[in-house]
Amino acid sequence: MITTPWGETLKKDCPLGEYPRPQFKRDSYISLNGVWKCDFCESEEIPDSFSQTILVPFSPEAPLSGVNRTLSDEEYLIYERDFEIPDGFNKGRVFLNFGAVDQIAKVYVNGSFVGAHHGGYTPFSLEITDYVGKHNILNVTVRDLTEKNHYSRGKQRTKRGGIWYTAQSGIWQSVWLESTPVDYIPYVRITPDFDNERVCFEAPDGICVQKQIYDGDTLIADTTDNTVVIDNMKPWSPENPFLYKVVFTYGRDRVSSYFGMRKFSIGEDKDGLPRLMLNNEPYFFNGLLDQGYYPDGLLTPPSNKAMEFDVKSVKNLGFNMLRKHIKIEPMLWYHYCDVNGIIVIQDMINGGGDYGLEVSAVPFIGINLDDTNYSTFKRTNEASRRLYYTELQEMLDALYNCPCIAAWVPFNEGWGQFDSDFAYDYIKSNDKTRIVDSASGWHTQTKNDIISKHIYFTPIVVRAGDKPWCLTEFGGLGIRVKGHTFNDKMFGYKIYRSKESLTSAYKRLYERTIIPQIKKGLCATVYTQLTDVEDELNGLFTYDRKVQKIDTDVIKQINERMKI
């Protein structure tokens, strides 16, 4: 087994213990990460005693969990831990927060059922005020059916291999407690209005929130108004990722947050070509596919520093964007993108049945399938289609305030795709400030903000149309680095045997094919990919993040030319 540097120095008393949600932060915080009890059971009845321990928030399939055991679709994974409510912590209400639990979770406090959540990638919160005392016992029961219930599962597969990865289950993001007064702020939705140099705030009806806005340490507004003009506005961009701080107050509740003044849109350049725009100027989105997997933690980063390393490495190489591929990250990951100036294209999580060649192969012969045919796209389970929109709404709500996110991708390459025109309208009705790539790669129906192409095997030829032409996946050049691979398998779209040959191919691809076509209307590129993942050895970094395969200077020199 290979490990990341952070996994090798993991502190087991409270891993990933930093406050996990800087976009909406309170002072009251107790992390429940650490060693829990657990067992694999035939029923969801909570056992009287437990035979194993697990390191939360790592899934039992992840080496760092200490369990190294797969949860089958016929079992329940049941957790237990005790916790105390310190004197003075409870201000009136107590909430139990989960970053993500895969797939179906039921939660009990002191033997009482307090709530359930379906869907393995979105955060949820349960009020437990009426159930807690000084000393408490928390139980979580988990069921994970991976492919069998058509729920969202991302790249997980019970029979992993190639572009499909190890299935995991259970708690895989932070668990924590916070307390609020009885009257509190459930949320504040922040929308920058770049053109009018103002920011708009939306809280639940009946809640009048005081807003204190800071430019650095200087207070520039102190108001209950829901629309605030920002004098001498400082735009957010990858070149200058300036963030305004804001403190929300309602009664005795106090929450800190931030926002960036930026605008993502579509327009034309001086030659009349359709372009992606940042702050009303044509802007080339130059990025990498980022799947967010780790050999020791799987979907869970071994440390928050590991996530920060990935983001800062991308920035150091001269890229300005990441496509977060079929995964919703912990909120701290988006914070690192916000503060470092990395634009994010955010995928929704795919679900449905097994995807066959009838979906993935036909685009190569020019066939675009009708995604209202649920059987073709393996999305026949009506309950899973309803849950898709529940999870989509949860993702939109959780990530709305992140300045870095420029675009939403509801479906990728036809995997579990259905009614993508409806999904496009649904997202636009929730968020008019961002771009939507309704069907990334192929099988676009009638509604999409861009022309979205995945090209690995055929010539890349830009044909500008009435929408920005975006190469949303390409590359995939692979090389094996001995001692830094997950196993003996090797998957890549083109395989090379030396660092020199890989570097030459990378330079040739960009210099001969990509850069010359920017002036023809190419608007964005998403190179596959940031790191190796299991069998896939086509990352710029190895899976353990210990080896960079192409020298920084080479990549930076190319990226300096990736401009409109």
Side-chain angles (χ1 to χ4, degrees), residues 26 42 64 82 96 134 196-197 208 284 300 336 343 370 442 475:
R26 291 185 172 91
E42 295 180 355
L64 290 177
D82 54 26
L96 175 61
K134 177 69 173 178
N196 294 303
E197 299 189 10
C208 182
F284 194 87
T300 309
Y336 297 140
I343 294 169
D370 178 3
W442 43 75

Side-chain angles (χ1 to χ4, degrees), residues 12 43 63 124 136 167 201 215 228 330 359 432 463:
K12 295 186 178 181
S43 75
F124 62 98
N136 305 278
F201 302 97
D215 178 342
V228 182
V359 170
K432 296 178 175 61
R463 295 183 175 90

Side-chain angles (χ1 to χ4, degrees), residues 194 232-237 240-244 260-262 279:
F194 185 89
N232 302 312
M233 182 182 73
K234 297 178 181 178
W236 182 97
S237 70
N240 181 32
F242 183 83
L243 297 170
Y244 289 91
M261 295 301 298
R262 53 89 183 104
N279 301 336

Side-chain angles (χ1 to χ4, degrees), residues 82-97:
D82 54 26
F83 66 92
E84 292 193 359
I85 300 294
D87 293 339
F89 177 78
N90 188 346
K91 301 175 183 178
R93 296 178 185 262
V94 178
F95 291 89
L96 175 61
N97 299 290

Side-chain angles (χ1 to χ4, degrees), residues 214-401:
Y214 293 85
D215 178 342
D217 295 327
T218 302
L219 180 67
I220 61 172
D222 190 349
T223 181
T224 58
D225 291 346
N226 289 329
T227 300
V228 182
V229 174
I230 305 296
D231 293 329
N232 302 312
M233 182 182 73
K234 297 178 181 178
W236 182 97
S237 70
E239 292 72 29
N240 181 32
F242 183 83
L243 297 170
Y244 289 91
K245 293 183 292 185
V246 58
V247 176
F248 301 118
T249 306
Y250 174 60
R252 294 188 298 113
D253 196 19
R254 181 181 173 91
V255 179
S256 63
S257 186
Y258 61 86
F259 61 89
M261 295 301 298
R262 53 89 183 104
K263 177 184 177 183
F264 297 112
S265 60
I266 290 171
E268 293 183 352
D269 65 14
K270 57 182 175 56
D271 298 317
L273 290 171
R275 294 291 186 184
L276 300 177
M277 312 286 280
L278 173 61
N279 301 336
N280 294 325
E281 296 292 335
Y283 194 86
F284 194 87
F285 285 33
N286 173 29
L288 300 169
L289 197 72
D290 180 9
Q291 317 223 42
Y293 272 78
Y294 303 85
D296 40 14
L298 299 182
L299 283 176
T300 309
S303 163
N304 290 321
K305 292 293 184 183
M307 290 193 294
E308 189 175 25
F309 170 85
D310 284 0
V311 172
K312 286 187 172 181
S313 295
V314 168
K315 184 75 172 184
N316 183 55
L317 291 171
F319 295 98
N320 60 32
M321 177 262 285
L322 286 168
R323 179 181 171 199
K324 180 49 62 176
H325 194 39
I326 316 184
K327 182 192 180 190
I328 300 171
E329 289 284 5
M331 294 302 296
L332 268 166
W333 184 86
Y334 301 94
H335 176 69
Y336 297 140
C337 291
D338 291 337
V339 300
N340 287 286
I342 294 294
I343 294 169
V344 174
I345 296 175
Q346 176 65 49
D347 287 10
M348 178 52 185
I349 316 304
N350 59 281
D354 289 332
Y355 321 121
L357 290 176
E358 68 274 18
V359 170
S360 60
V362 294
F364 295 104
I365 56 175
I367 296 177
N368 203 58
L369 298 174
D370 178 3
D371 68 8
T372 63
N373 186 334
Y374 301 151
S375 61
T376 298
F377 286 86
K378 304 297 187 294
R379 205 71 192 239
T380 56
N381 185 296
E382 183 180 353
S384 81
R385 297 197 303 270
R386 289 197 304 268
L387 181 62
Y388 172 88
Y389 280 97
T390 299
E391 291 184 272
L392 177 62
Q393 186 66 61
E394 289 175 350
M395 179 184 77
L396 296 174
D397 289 343
L399 303 183
Y400 183 86
N401 286 351

Side-chain angles (χ1 to χ4, degrees), residues 70-277:
T70 299
L71 177 67
S72 78
D73 55 31
E74 298 177 348
E75 293 178 310
Y76 294 85
L77 174 59
I78 302 181
Y79 295 83
E80 181 168 294
R81 73 153 291 163
D82 54 26
F83 66 92
E84 292 193 359
I85 300 294
D87 293 339
F89 177 78
N90 188 346
K91 301 175 183 178
R93 296 178 185 262
V94 178
F95 291 89
L96 175 61
N97 299 290
F98 293 85
V101 183
D102 195 9
Q103 284 176 314
I104 304 167
K106 295 182 179 179
V107 181
Y108 303 81
V109 174
N110 296 325
S112 296
F113 174 71
V114 298
H117 185 264
H118 287 235
Y121 288 82
T122 48
F124 62 98
S125 179
L126 301 169
E127 183 174 357
I128 60 172
T129 309
D130 295 337
Y131 303 94
V132 294
K134 177 69 173 178
H135 305 284
N136 305 278
I137 295 177
L138 168 62
N139 292 103
V140 182
T141 69
V142 174
R143 190 87 188 274
D144 189 348
L145 303 180
T146 312
E147 301 103 334
K148 288 192 175 180
N149 60 1
H150 291 198
Y151 280 17
S152 299
R153 64 181 183 275
K155 285 291 199 82
Q156 300 180 63
R157 183 168 284 186
T158 49
K159 295 182 179 179
R160 56 151 307 280
I163 65 170
W164 309 106
Y165 313 142
T166 301
Q168 66 165 71
S169 57
I171 299 169
W172 68 273
Q173 289 191 29
S174 287
V175 185
W176 80 99
L177 298 169
E178 67 179 343
S179 183
T180 72
V182 173
D183 296 322
Y184 74 107
I185 308 170
Y187 67 86
V188 178
R189 186 175 164 108
I190 308 173
T191 305
D193 182 356
F194 185 89
D195 291 341
N196 294 303
E197 299 189 10
R198 62 185 187 177
V199 59
C200 303
F201 302 97
E202 180 186 353
D205 290 342
I207 295 179
C208 182
V209 177
Q210 188 79 22
K211 300 101 181 169
Q212 292 179 310
I213 300 173
Y214 293 85
D215 178 342
D217 295 327
T218 302
L219 180 67
I220 61 172
D222 190 349
T223 181
T224 58
D225 291 346
N226 289 329
T227 300
V228 182
V229 174
I230 305 296
D231 293 329
N232 302 312
M233 182 182 73
K234 297 178 181 178
W236 182 97
S237 70
E239 292 72 29
N240 181 32
F242 183 83
L243 297 170
Y244 289 91
K245 293 183 292 185
V246 58
V247 176
F248 301 118
T249 306
Y250 174 60
R252 294 188 298 113
D253 196 19
R254 181 181 173 91
V255 179
S256 63
S257 186
Y258 61 86
F259 61 89
M261 295 301 298
R262 53 89 183 104
K263 177 184 177 183
F264 297 112
S265 60
I266 290 171
E268 293 183 352
D269 65 14
K270 57 182 175 56
D271 298 317
L273 290 171
R275 294 291 186 184
L276 300 177
M277 312 286 280

